[in-house]
Amino acid sequence: MAHQSIQCSDVSSTSQSPTQTSYIILSTSDRVDVITAWFPDSSDSEIDFKLTDGISSASNVTVTTRQSHDWGRLPDLVFIEIMKYLCHSDRLNVALTHRRWYNLFQTGCLWRYRHIDFGYSLGTCPVIKNNKDIGFAATFGKHLHHLIITCRHPSFTNCKRFQKMQTSFLQHLYGKTKLKTFRMKNIEFDRYWRFDSIRDRLLVSLKRFLRVQRRLELFEMNAAQLGLIQGCQVLEAIGCNAGHIKTLNIEDFFHSHQSPFRIGRFINFLRQLRHLNILHLNYNCLCNDIMAILVANNNTSSLTYFSVKVYKNDPHFHTIDRKLWKLLRKNNTNLKVEFDFDSVATYDEIATILIPEVQVSKLHIWTGYDHTTNFHLNETFTYLRNHFHNKLEHLSLELENEREYIDAALISLLVRCWHLKSVEINGNILPATIEDVCDLQQQCKIGLTKFHVILGNITPDELTEVQQIETKYGPMIESHNLDFHFTTNVIDEIELF
């Protein structure tokens, strides 16, 4: 989100004293009311707002008043609200300018969120940064509710340092932090962790910390790539207090080639989750028994979003009972289902997993880098058109389809799926197909709001044709405020505004 700067200038109405200026960084211009609430609404005061282009594409909102005010008397609630939009270092700089502001600097609501990044960019001293993180844990850890832990540039060399710093950080939080959300993203324990002992010590500290989090509502640990035993131990640590969890993201949580749905410990963990709203997992974590648990635990329309990833190296040749999918949808009337097929793209594979009772609303298909397989994509599009036209809203395709022409089947799919609002295609389609889609949109025969295409293997003549489409339909796209965007992986980008 782009930040905006508010420049506050106090100009006396009876004197020519120099203007006093201070700067406060807010997130959006609609937060200006926080400042205007401080200025009295009287006949002898005047407040003007002017947006001007500033540096880095930000906008400077100038607030000019004809009355002079003592910013040291800014109401506590207004000051705290402003401080929420400052980064931690800027908060400290502001607090050091005024004794009362330093006291307000300790307010708990200012320290609810923390993102700990154990990766380092150029020019950053790891020791100084880690000391700041540990200092935060020791000083403000009791106020923390939302924690994100990432490692920006994981490697074999920094895993040991990552383990030491996280162990120390979690130790300072232990016993005094009551988290509501916990996210640890893209750690990939199977890839960079050369020594098992380092990984084990990290997991021990993590499990110890999670066991005492009794108010956890969101747990996200995607792309952890853990073994079955290690993964189940981490889940059991939060399972002790799973009654409050509403969002669970364990996509790619387990290592490939494994079948968590056969493990009793994993099934028992899911049985404890009775108030799920959002669930992300892999298809190798699903079976009839687990689907029956989801149906039984979410029979009050609590589950609203269910995302399933199908990966080629995961076991995915089993089928979920049609009745269970139907019951899940019946019990959760607002449920939206997403499927992500990663390097699983043949018609037989998709039709076996994506049975009509699923009623998928968001679908992504990536063929992978296989240039030899015939995926029968036309049959897949026909299948989607016949069975999911009432629910499909978002479609994303990444195709290696040099051997298959999909244009006619794609147009037929778009026309039949009236609820379809977003289409993204990275593959080989004809420029004439793009024109057909634009023409259907102009005639209101389809209702797309987003249409992104990356054309493959385009020729100069086809490039000229796309430019002509830009000229022809550009006004329509602009007048309807549509997000239509065409690029190519061969020639420079082409945009339709």
PDB file of all heavy atoms in Angstrom, residues 126-158:
ATOM      1  N   PRO A 126      23.491  -8.427  10.459  1.00  0.00           N
ATOM      2  CA  PRO A 126      22.651  -9.449  11.072  1.00  0.00           C
ATOM      3  C   PRO A 126      22.617  -9.359  12.591  1.00  0.00           C
ATOM      4  O   PRO A 126      21.566  -9.548  13.209  1.00  0.00           O
ATOM      5  CB  PRO A 126      23.294 -10.764  10.598  1.00  0.00           C
ATOM      6  CG  PRO A 126      24.066 -10.397   9.379  1.00  0.00           C
ATOM      7  CD  PRO A 126      24.533  -9.003   9.598  1.00  0.00           C
ATOM      8  N   VAL A 127      23.748  -9.074  13.214  1.00  0.00           N
ATOM      9  CA  VAL A 127      23.796  -9.046  14.676  1.00  0.00           C
ATOM     10  C   VAL A 127      22.921  -7.930  15.222  1.00  0.00           C
ATOM     11  O   VAL A 127      22.137  -8.122  16.153  1.00  0.00           O
ATOM     12  CB  VAL A 127      25.255  -8.889  15.155  1.00  0.00           C
ATOM     13  CG1 VAL A 127      25.288  -8.757  16.674  1.00  0.00           C
ATOM     14  CG2 VAL A 127      26.096 -10.062  14.683  1.00  0.00           C
ATOM     15  N   ILE A 128      23.025  -6.738  14.621  1.00  0.00           N
ATOM     16  CA  ILE A 128      22.229  -5.605  15.089  1.00  0.00           C
ATOM     17  C   ILE A 128      20.738  -5.879  14.895  1.00  0.00           C
ATOM     18  O   ILE A 128      19.922  -5.632  15.783  1.00  0.00           O
ATOM     19  CB  ILE A 128      22.647  -4.323  14.344  1.00  0.00           C
ATOM     20  CG1 ILE A 128      24.092  -3.957  14.706  1.00  0.00           C
ATOM     21  CG2 ILE A 128      21.701  -3.179  14.673  1.00  0.00           C
ATOM     22  CD1 ILE A 128      24.618  -2.746  13.965  1.00  0.00           C
ATOM     23  N   LYS A 129      20.385  -6.406  13.734  1.00  0.00           N
ATOM     24  CA  LYS A 129      18.982  -6.673  13.462  1.00  0.00           C
ATOM     25  C   LYS A 129      18.419  -7.718  14.408  1.00  0.00           C
ATOM     26  O   LYS A 129      17.314  -7.569  14.939  1.00  0.00           O
ATOM     27  CB  LYS A 129      18.812  -7.130  12.015  1.00  0.00           C
ATOM     28  CG  LYS A 129      17.361  -7.283  11.599  1.00  0.00           C
ATOM     29  CD  LYS A 129      17.254  -7.675  10.153  1.00  0.00           C
ATOM     30  CE  LYS A 129      15.795  -7.719   9.719  1.00  0.00           C
ATOM     31  NZ  LYS A 129      14.982  -8.626  10.533  1.00  0.00           N
ATOM     32  N   ASN A 130      19.154  -8.778  14.639  1.00  0.00           N
ATOM     33  CA  ASN A 130      18.673  -9.825  15.532  1.00  0.00           C
ATOM     34  C   ASN A 130      18.576  -9.329  16.968  1.00  0.00           C
ATOM     35  O   ASN A 130      17.661  -9.716  17.710  1.00  0.00           O
ATOM     36  CB  ASN A 130      19.595 -11.036  15.448  1.00  0.00           C
ATOM     37  CG  ASN A 130      19.481 -11.759  14.115  1.00  0.00           C
ATOM     38  OD1 ASN A 130      18.447 -11.700  13.457  1.00  0.00           O
ATOM     39  ND2 ASN A 130      20.546 -12.418  13.697  1.00  0.00           N
ATOM     40  N   ASN A 131      19.504  -8.482  17.384  1.00  0.00           N
ATOM     41  CA  ASN A 131      19.431  -7.920  18.734  1.00  0.00           C
ATOM     42  C   ASN A 131      18.180  -7.051  18.892  1.00  0.00           C
ATOM     43  O   ASN A 131      17.563  -7.038  19.963  1.00  0.00           O
ATOM     44  CB  ASN A 131      20.680  -7.105  19.033  1.00  0.00           C
ATOM     45  CG  ASN A 131      21.900  -7.992  19.264  1.00  0.00           C
ATOM     46  OD1 ASN A 131      21.780  -9.179  19.555  1.00  0.00           O
ATOM     47  ND2 ASN A 131      23.081  -7.421  19.110  1.00  0.00           N
ATOM     48  N   LYS A 132      17.804  -6.341  17.829  1.00  0.00           N
ATOM     49  CA  LYS A 132      16.585  -5.541  17.889  1.00  0.00           C
ATOM     50  C   LYS A 132      15.355  -6.433  18.038  1.00  0.00           C
ATOM     51  O   LYS A 132      14.436  -6.117  18.796  1.00  0.00           O
ATOM     52  CB  LYS A 132      16.466  -4.680  16.633  1.00  0.00           C
ATOM     53  CG  LYS A 132      17.444  -3.515  16.567  1.00  0.00           C
ATOM     54  CD  LYS A 132      17.222  -2.696  15.310  1.00  0.00           C
ATOM     55  CE  LYS A 132      18.178  -1.506  15.259  1.00  0.00           C
ATOM     56  NZ  LYS A 132      17.981  -0.698  14.021  1.00  0.00           N
ATOM     57  N   ASP A 133      15.330  -7.539  17.284  1.00  0.00           N
ATOM     58  CA  ASP A 133      14.193  -8.450  17.370  1.00  0.00           C
ATOM     59  C   ASP A 133      14.079  -9.068  18.768  1.00  0.00           C
ATOM     60  O   ASP A 133      12.982  -9.169  19.324  1.00  0.00           O
ATOM     61  CB  ASP A 133      14.327  -9.550  16.317  1.00  0.00           C
ATOM     62  CG  ASP A 133      14.183  -9.010  14.900  1.00  0.00           C
ATOM     63  OD1 ASP A 133      13.505  -7.979  14.732  1.00  0.00           O
ATOM     64  OD2 ASP A 133      14.762  -9.620  13.979  1.00  0.00           O
ATOM     65  N   ILE A 134      15.203  -9.468  19.309  1.00  0.00           N
ATOM     66  CA  ILE A 134      15.177 -10.058  20.649  1.00  0.00           C
ATOM     67  C   ILE A 134      14.817  -8.997  21.683  1.00  0.00           C
ATOM     68  O   ILE A 134      14.085  -9.267  22.651  1.00  0.00           O
ATOM     69  CB  ILE A 134      16.534 -10.714  20.961  1.00  0.00           C
ATOM     70  CG1 ILE A 134      16.742 -11.927  20.035  1.00  0.00           C
ATOM     71  CG2 ILE A 134      16.610 -11.143  22.422  1.00  0.00           C
ATOM     72  CD1 ILE A 134      18.090 -12.578  20.185  1.00  0.00           C
ATOM     73  N   GLY A 135      15.309  -7.765  21.491  1.00  0.00           N
ATOM     74  CA  GLY A 135      14.936  -6.685  22.391  1.00  0.00           C
ATOM     75  C   GLY A 135      13.444  -6.405  22.353  1.00  0.00           C
ATOM     76  O   GLY A 135      12.820  -6.130  23.384  1.00  0.00           O
ATOM     77  N   PHE A 136      12.866  -6.482  21.161  1.00  0.00           N
ATOM     78  CA  PHE A 136      11.412  -6.317  21.045  1.00  0.00           C
ATOM     79  C   PHE A 136      10.688  -7.414  21.817  1.00  0.00           C
ATOM     80  O   PHE A 136       9.717  -7.150  22.531  1.00  0.00           O
ATOM     81  CB  PHE A 136      11.002  -6.357  19.574  1.00  0.00           C
ATOM     82  CG  PHE A 136       9.519  -6.475  19.363  1.00  0.00           C
ATOM     83  CD1 PHE A 136       8.739  -5.339  19.337  1.00  0.00           C
ATOM     84  CD2 PHE A 136       8.921  -7.712  19.211  1.00  0.00           C
ATOM     85  CE1 PHE A 136       7.357  -5.439  19.159  1.00  0.00           C
ATOM     86  CE2 PHE A 136       7.553  -7.826  19.031  1.00  0.00           C
ATOM     87  CZ  PHE A 136       6.765  -6.683  19.003  1.00  0.00           C
ATOM     88  N   ALA A 137      11.147  -8.662  21.657  1.00  0.00           N
ATOM     89  CA  ALA A 137      10.497  -9.769  22.352  1.00  0.00           C
ATOM     90  C   ALA A 137      10.549  -9.585  23.861  1.00  0.00           C
ATOM     91  O   ALA A 137       9.577  -9.867  24.574  1.00  0.00           O
ATOM     92  CB  ALA A 137      11.152 -11.086  21.945  1.00  0.00           C
ATOM     93  N   ALA A 138      11.680  -9.125  24.366  1.00  0.00           N
ATOM     94  CA  ALA A 138      11.824  -8.951  25.806  1.00  0.00           C
ATOM     95  C   ALA A 138      10.990  -7.796  26.343  1.00  0.00           C
ATOM     96  O   ALA A 138      10.439  -7.865  27.442  1.00  0.00           O
ATOM     97  CB  ALA A 138      13.297  -8.734  26.150  1.00  0.00           C
ATOM     98  N   THR A 139      10.865  -6.710  25.533  1.00  0.00           N
ATOM     99  CA  THR A 139      10.198  -5.506  26.018  1.00  0.00           C
ATOM    100  C   THR A 139       8.707  -5.492  25.725  1.00  0.00           C
ATOM    101  O   THR A 139       7.885  -5.171  26.595  1.00  0.00           O
ATOM    102  CB  THR A 139      10.844  -4.258  25.389  1.00  0.00           C
ATOM    103  OG1 THR A 139      12.257  -4.290  25.620  1.00  0.00           O
ATOM    104  CG2 THR A 139      10.257  -2.992  25.980  1.00  0.00           C
ATOM    105  N   PHE A 140       8.345  -5.838  24.508  1.00  0.00           N
ATOM    106  CA  PHE A 140       6.947  -5.714  24.091  1.00  0.00           C
ATOM    107  C   PHE A 140       6.295  -7.061  23.772  1.00  0.00           C
ATOM    108  O   PHE A 140       5.163  -7.076  23.272  1.00  0.00           O
ATOM    109  CB  PHE A 140       6.857  -4.814  22.853  1.00  0.00           C
ATOM    110  CG  PHE A 140       7.394  -3.428  23.060  1.00  0.00           C
ATOM    111  CD1 PHE A 140       8.575  -3.028  22.456  1.00  0.00           C
ATOM    112  CD2 PHE A 140       6.730  -2.528  23.866  1.00  0.00           C
ATOM    113  CE1 PHE A 140       9.071  -1.759  22.633  1.00  0.00           C
ATOM    114  CE2 PHE A 140       7.216  -1.249  24.061  1.00  0.00           C
ATOM    115  CZ  PHE A 140       8.400  -0.856  23.453  1.00  0.00           C
ATOM    116  N   GLY A 141       6.971  -8.164  24.045  1.00  0.00           N
ATOM    117  CA  GLY A 141       6.422  -9.472  23.720  1.00  0.00           C
ATOM    118  C   GLY A 141       5.085  -9.750  24.371  1.00  0.00           C
ATOM    119  O   GLY A 141       4.237 -10.439  23.813  1.00  0.00           O
ATOM    120  N   LYS A 142       4.839  -9.193  25.548  1.00  0.00           N
ATOM    121  CA  LYS A 142       3.583  -9.440  26.248  1.00  0.00           C
ATOM    122  C   LYS A 142       2.392  -8.821  25.525  1.00  0.00           C
ATOM    123  O   LYS A 142       1.243  -9.198  25.764  1.00  0.00           O
ATOM    124  CB  LYS A 142       3.669  -8.897  27.668  1.00  0.00           C
ATOM    125  CG  LYS A 142       3.929  -7.401  27.754  1.00  0.00           C
ATOM    126  CD  LYS A 142       4.095  -6.941  29.187  1.00  0.00           C
ATOM    127  CE  LYS A 142       4.433  -5.448  29.258  1.00  0.00           C
ATOM    128  NZ  LYS A 142       4.631  -5.004  30.671  1.00  0.00           N
ATOM    129  N   HIS A 143       2.647  -7.848  24.644  1.00  0.00           N
ATOM    130  CA  HIS A 143       1.560  -7.203  23.902  1.00  0.00           C
ATOM    131  C   HIS A 143       1.326  -7.848  22.545  1.00  0.00           C
ATOM    132  O   HIS A 143       0.339  -7.510  21.873  1.00  0.00           O
ATOM    133  CB  HIS A 143       1.882  -5.722  23.689  1.00  0.00           C
ATOM    134  CG  HIS A 143       2.155  -4.957  24.938  1.00  0.00           C
ATOM    135  ND1 HIS A 143       1.264  -4.893  25.993  1.00  0.00           N
ATOM    136  CD2 HIS A 143       3.237  -4.217  25.327  1.00  0.00           C
ATOM    137  CE1 HIS A 143       1.764  -4.147  26.966  1.00  0.00           C
ATOM    138  NE2 HIS A 143       2.967  -3.729  26.582  1.00  0.00           N
ATOM    139  N   LEU A 144       2.183  -8.751  22.111  1.00  0.00           N
ATOM    140  CA  LEU A 144       2.148  -9.285  20.749  1.00  0.00           C
ATOM    141  C   LEU A 144       0.961 -10.226  20.555  1.00  0.00           C
ATOM    142  O   LEU A 144       0.727 -11.131  21.356  1.00  0.00           O
ATOM    143  CB  LEU A 144       3.455 -10.026  20.461  1.00  0.00           C
ATOM    144  CG  LEU A 144       3.695 -10.478  19.026  1.00  0.00           C
ATOM    145  CD1 LEU A 144       3.771  -9.289  18.090  1.00  0.00           C
ATOM    146  CD2 LEU A 144       4.972 -11.301  18.943  1.00  0.00           C
ATOM    147  N   HIS A 145       0.230 -10.012  19.447  1.00  0.00           N
ATOM    148  CA  HIS A 145      -0.893 -10.882  19.085  1.00  0.00           C
ATOM    149  C   HIS A 145      -0.706 -11.550  17.727  1.00  0.00           C
ATOM    150  O   HIS A 145      -1.290 -12.597  17.491  1.00  0.00           O
ATOM    151  CB  HIS A 145      -2.203 -10.087  19.063  1.00  0.00           C
ATOM    152  CG  HIS A 145      -2.731  -9.741  20.403  1.00  0.00           C
ATOM    153  ND1 HIS A 145      -3.829  -8.919  20.603  1.00  0.00           N
ATOM    154  CD2 HIS A 145      -2.316 -10.097  21.650  1.00  0.00           C
ATOM    155  CE1 HIS A 145      -4.065  -8.785  21.886  1.00  0.00           C
ATOM    156  NE2 HIS A 145      -3.163  -9.481  22.546  1.00  0.00           N
ATOM    157  N   HIS A 146       0.067 -10.929  16.836  1.00  0.00           N
ATOM    158  CA  HIS A 146       0.183 -11.429  15.468  1.00  0.00           C
ATOM    159  C   HIS A 146       1.667 -11.493  15.093  1.00  0.00           C
ATOM    160  O   HIS A 146       2.351 -10.470  15.080  1.00  0.00           O
ATOM    161  CB  HIS A 146      -0.561 -10.518  14.495  1.00  0.00           C
ATOM    162  CG  HIS A 146      -1.977 -10.226  14.908  1.00  0.00           C
ATOM    163  ND1 HIS A 146      -3.015 -11.081  14.635  1.00  0.00           N
ATOM    164  CD2 HIS A 146      -2.504  -9.179  15.601  1.00  0.00           C
ATOM    165  CE1 HIS A 146      -4.132 -10.565  15.128  1.00  0.00           C
ATOM    166  NE2 HIS A 146      -3.850  -9.414  15.721  1.00  0.00           N
ATOM    167  N   LEU A 147       2.142 -12.692  14.781  1.00  0.00           N
ATOM    168  CA  LEU A 147       3.561 -12.914  14.524  1.00  0.00           C
ATOM    169  C   LEU A 147       3.760 -13.578  13.166  1.00  0.00           C
ATOM    170  O   LEU A 147       3.091 -14.564  12.837  1.00  0.00           O
ATOM    171  CB  LEU A 147       4.167 -13.787  15.625  1.00  0.00           C
ATOM    172  CG  LEU A 147       5.636 -14.201  15.457  1.00  0.00           C
ATOM    173  CD1 LEU A 147       6.547 -12.979  15.438  1.00  0.00           C
ATOM    174  CD2 LEU A 147       6.053 -15.163  16.563  1.00  0.00           C
ATOM    175  N   ILE A 148       4.686 -13.025  12.377  1.00  0.00           N
ATOM    176  CA  ILE A 148       5.094 -13.608  11.096  1.00  0.00           C
ATOM    177  C   ILE A 148       6.594 -13.845  11.146  1.00  0.00           C
ATOM    178  O   ILE A 148       7.362 -12.934  11.481  1.00  0.00           O
ATOM    179  CB  ILE A 148       4.755 -12.688   9.914  1.00  0.00           C
ATOM    180  CG1 ILE A 148       3.262 -12.383   9.872  1.00  0.00           C
ATOM    181  CG2 ILE A 148       5.184 -13.325   8.597  1.00  0.00           C
ATOM    182  CD1 ILE A 148       2.879 -11.387   8.786  1.00  0.00           C
ATOM    183  N   ILE A 149       7.024 -15.058  10.822  1.00  0.00           N
ATOM    184  CA  ILE A 149       8.445 -15.406  10.788  1.00  0.00           C
ATOM    185  C   ILE A 149       8.778 -15.879   9.377  1.00  0.00           C
ATOM    186  O   ILE A 149       8.145 -16.795   8.851  1.00  0.00           O
ATOM    187  CB  ILE A 149       8.789 -16.501  11.805  1.00  0.00           C
ATOM    188  CG1 ILE A 149       8.522 -16.015  13.233  1.00  0.00           C
ATOM    189  CG2 ILE A 149      10.244 -16.933  11.669  1.00  0.00           C
ATOM    190  CD1 ILE A 149       8.768 -17.067  14.304  1.00  0.00           C
ATOM    191  N   THR A 150       9.762 -15.233   8.760  1.00  0.00           N
ATOM    192  CA  THR A 150      10.194 -15.626   7.429  1.00  0.00           C
ATOM    193  C   THR A 150      11.715 -15.641   7.377  1.00  0.00           C
ATOM    194  O   THR A 150      12.390 -15.057   8.217  1.00  0.00           O
ATOM    195  CB  THR A 150       9.664 -14.652   6.354  1.00  0.00           C
ATOM    196  OG1 THR A 150      10.098 -13.329   6.662  1.00  0.00           O
ATOM    197  CG2 THR A 150       8.158 -14.680   6.280  1.00  0.00           C
ATOM    198  N   CYS A 151      12.231 -16.317   6.374  1.00  0.00           N
ATOM    199  CA  CYS A 151      13.659 -16.294   6.093  1.00  0.00           C
ATOM    200  C   CYS A 151      13.792 -15.942   4.616  1.00  0.00           C
ATOM    201  O   CYS A 151      13.532 -16.769   3.739  1.00  0.00           O
ATOM    202  CB  CYS A 151      14.309 -17.645   6.398  1.00  0.00           C
ATOM    203  SG  CYS A 151      16.109 -17.649   6.277  1.00  0.00           S
ATOM    204  N   ARG A 152      14.161 -14.696   4.354  1.00  0.00           N
ATOM    205  CA  ARG A 152      14.099 -14.156   2.996  1.00  0.00           C
ATOM    206  C   ARG A 152      15.029 -14.881   2.033  1.00  0.00           C
ATOM    207  O   ARG A 152      14.669 -15.163   0.897  1.00  0.00           O
ATOM    208  CB  ARG A 152      14.446 -12.670   3.031  1.00  0.00           C
ATOM    209  CG  ARG A 152      14.201 -11.949   1.728  1.00  0.00           C
ATOM    210  CD  ARG A 152      14.728 -10.526   1.790  1.00  0.00           C
ATOM    211  NE  ARG A 152      14.301  -9.850   3.004  1.00  0.00           N
ATOM    212  CZ  ARG A 152      14.811  -8.693   3.412  1.00  0.00           C
ATOM    213  NH1 ARG A 152      15.778  -8.124   2.719  1.00  0.00           N
ATOM    214  NH2 ARG A 152      14.383  -8.133   4.523  1.00  0.00           N
ATOM    215  N   HIS A 153      16.220 -15.188   2.475  1.00  0.00           N
ATOM    216  CA  HIS A 153      17.195 -15.845   1.606  1.00  0.00           C
ATOM    217  C   HIS A 153      17.761 -17.081   2.308  1.00  0.00           C
ATOM    218  O   HIS A 153      18.891 -17.072   2.790  1.00  0.00           O
ATOM    219  CB  HIS A 153      18.334 -14.881   1.241  1.00  0.00           C
ATOM    220  CG  HIS A 153      17.874 -13.618   0.600  1.00  0.00           C
ATOM    221  ND1 HIS A 153      17.293 -13.588  -0.651  1.00  0.00           N
ATOM    222  CD2 HIS A 153      17.883 -12.336   1.037  1.00  0.00           C
ATOM    223  CE1 HIS A 153      16.976 -12.338  -0.957  1.00  0.00           C
ATOM    224  NE2 HIS A 153      17.321 -11.569   0.048  1.00  0.00           N
ATOM    225  N   PRO A 154      16.970 -18.151   2.394  1.00  0.00           N
ATOM    226  CA  PRO A 154      17.482 -19.353   3.068  1.00  0.00           C
ATOM    227  C   PRO A 154      18.636 -19.968   2.299  1.00  0.00           C
ATOM    228  O   PRO A 154      18.679 -19.941   1.065  1.00  0.00           O
ATOM    229  CB  PRO A 154      16.265 -20.288   3.092  1.00  0.00           C
ATOM    230  CG  PRO A 154      15.418 -19.827   1.952  1.00  0.00           C
ATOM    231  CD  PRO A 154      15.627 -18.353   1.852  1.00  0.00           C
ATOM    232  N   SER A 155      19.583 -20.513   3.020  1.00  0.00           N
ATOM    233  CA  SER A 155      20.733 -21.166   2.400  1.00  0.00           C
ATOM    234  C   SER A 155      21.337 -22.122   3.414  1.00  0.00           C
ATOM    235  O   SER A 155      20.987 -22.116   4.605  1.00  0.00           O
ATOM    236  CB  SER A 155      21.780 -20.138   1.953  1.00  0.00           C
ATOM    237  OG  SER A 155      22.342 -19.483   3.070  1.00  0.00           O
ATOM    238  N   PHE A 156      22.270 -22.942   2.949  1.00  0.00           N
ATOM    239  CA  PHE A 156      22.934 -23.873   3.856  1.00  0.00           C
ATOM    240  C   PHE A 156      23.740 -23.129   4.924  1.00  0.00           C
ATOM    241  O   PHE A 156      23.912 -23.620   6.028  1.00  0.00           O
ATOM    242  CB  PHE A 156      23.865 -24.795   3.061  1.00  0.00           C
ATOM    243  CG  PHE A 156      23.145 -25.749   2.156  1.00  0.00           C
ATOM    244  CD1 PHE A 156      23.225 -25.620   0.777  1.00  0.00           C
ATOM    245  CD2 PHE A 156      22.366 -26.776   2.662  1.00  0.00           C
ATOM    246  CE1 PHE A 156      22.568 -26.491  -0.067  1.00  0.00           C
ATOM    247  CE2 PHE A 156      21.689 -27.654   1.827  1.00  0.00           C
ATOM    248  CZ  PHE A 156      21.798 -27.509   0.470  1.00  0.00           C
ATOM    249  N   THR A 157      24.218 -21.934   4.586  1.00  0.00           N
ATOM    250  CA  THR A 157      25.113 -21.229   5.508  1.00  0.00           C
ATOM    251  C   THR A 157      24.375 -20.500   6.623  1.00  0.00           C
ATOM    252  O   THR A 157      24.933 -20.329   7.712  1.00  0.00           O
ATOM    253  CB  THR A 157      25.975 -20.222   4.728  1.00  0.00           C
ATOM    254  OG1 THR A 157      25.111 -19.304   4.030  1.00  0.00           O
ATOM    255  CG2 THR A 157      26.857 -20.934   3.730  1.00  0.00           C
ATOM    256  N   ASN A 158      23.136 -20.036   6.370  1.00  0.00           N
ATOM    257  CA  ASN A 158      22.475 -19.263   7.416  1.00  0.00           C
ATOM    258  C   ASN A 158      21.436 -20.046   8.206  1.00  0.00           C
ATOM    259  O   ASN A 158      20.757 -19.483   9.061  1.00  0.00           O
ATOM    260  CB  ASN A 158      21.829 -17.998   6.826  1.00  0.00           C
ATOM    261  CG  ASN A 158      20.695 -18.313   5.866  1.00  0.00           C
ATOM    262  OD1 ASN A 158      20.245 -19.450   5.764  1.00  0.00           O
ATOM    263  ND2 ASN A 158      20.223 -17.299   5.159  1.00  0.00           N
TER     264      ASN A 158
END
